[in-house]
Amino acid sequence: QVQLVESGGGLVQPGGFLRLSCAASGSISSTNIINWYRQAPGEEREWVGDIYSSGNTNYADSVKGRFTISRDNAKNTVALQMNSLKPEDTAVYYCTYHDLRTGKHYWGQGTQVTVSS
């Protein structure tokens, strides 16, 4: 069992920056992938990016060059650094934990990000 808690959301102006965190607890495996998703009101869920246990990352085209995902395996935390924020980045952001050895997936409750002037 793994529990995930996202934090760091809030209100920021266009062009600003924000850093989200995802803290994991429970039965943490050393072999896992963390994904970030977001969902805006009236929109379908969108994949934002991921990070492997090696630190390798992938990003959606919509955020590439602006967002950066990093992880601290010792602390079981993952960060999503968001720069040059746009109004269309407004959404609830979720992190997911995928244990590659068990195939299990876990979701956090999400944190609200609002980009507005």
Side-chain angles (χ1 to χ4, degrees), residues 37-41 89-94 109-113:
Y37 292 86
R38 65 186 183 184
Q39 187 166 24
D89 294 320
T90 296
V92 176
Y93 284 72
Y94 301 89
Q109 293 300 306
T111 185
Q112 176 71 49
V113 172

Side-chain angles (χ1 to χ4, degrees), residues 1-6 22-29 32-37 94-100 102-109:
Q1 183 108 19
V2 175
Q3 297 80 43
L4 302 173
V5 178
E6 300 96 336
C22 174
S25 62
S27 301
I28 306 301
S29 171
N32 61 72
I33 303 172
I34 300 295
N35 286 269
W36 284 95
Y37 292 86
Y94 301 89
C95 65
T96 71
Y97 173 98
H98 178 200
D99 188 332
L100 294 175
T102 66
K104 294 183 177 180
H105 291 78
Y106 301 90
W107 287 74
Q109 293 300 306

Side-chain angles (χ1 to χ4, degrees), residues 12-90:
V12 65
Q13 295 183 354
F17 60 90
L18 204 61
R19 183 178 184 272
L20 306 183
S21 294
C22 174
S25 62
S27 301
I28 306 301
S29 171
S30 61
T31 306
N32 61 72
I33 303 172
I34 300 295
N35 286 269
W36 284 95
Y37 292 86
R38 65 186 183 184
Q39 187 166 24
E43 304 290 334
E44 66 179 358
R45 194 186 312 277
E46 177 187 18
W47 175 77
V48 174
D50 60 42
I51 185 166
Y52 287 68
S53 57
S54 65
N56 190 35
T57 57
N58 300 281
Y59 302 94
D61 289 341
S62 59
V63 306
K64 193 174 299 181
R66 299 187 298 120
F67 290 12
T68 303
I69 302 173
S70 60
R71 65 188 296 164
D72 186 335
N73 293 331
K75 294 181 172 62
N76 294 322
T77 59
V78 172
L80 175 62
Q81 179 67 45
M82 305 182 295
N83 299 324
S84 301
L85 284 164
K86 306 174 181 179
E88 52 263 43
D89 294 320
T90 296

